Amino acid sequence: MLEQIDHRGKRFTIDDDSTRDEAGIRRCQRAAALDRQAQRERRELERAKAVAGPAGINPDVEVLNR
């Protein structure tokens, strides 16, 4: 077992390579959840673009002119 101090001054121990601390597990779970959310948002954006159809050279001006 190896005791370390992280960049915030918090002490933690390393048992072996196969175990992780709970905070590390939560960070990985949060990162995975954020990745899934980003993928959903990209799919929604692609669907919205497909529904909106092809835009002209200057789509913002076209919308304002309507």
Side-chain angles (χ1 to χ4, degrees):
M1 184 162 52
L2 180 64
E3 187 170 318
Q4 295 285 320
I5 299 175
D6 68 5
H7 66 281
R8 297 169 294 186
K10 183 178 176 184
R11 292 182 176 274
F12 66 97
T13 58
I14 301 173
D15 291 332
D16 63 21
D17 293 336
S18 64
T19 61
R20 296 188 295 191
D21 60 347
E22 289 182 27
I25 292 170
R26 284 193 302 271
R27 282 192 301 271
C28 289
Q29 291 171 339
R30 179 73 176 144
L34 288 172
D35 186 46
R36 287 190 301 272
Q37 179 182 356
Q39 289 174 1
R40 277 193 306 270
E41 290 175 359
R42 277 191 292 260
R43 285 191 302 266
E44 288 175 14
L45 180 60
E46 290 300 318
R47 284 187 201 121
K49 286 180 182 178
V51 169
I57 295 172
N58 214 345
D60 294 333
V61 173
E62 187 177 318
V63 169
L64 291 175
N65 289 335
R66 291 182 193 171

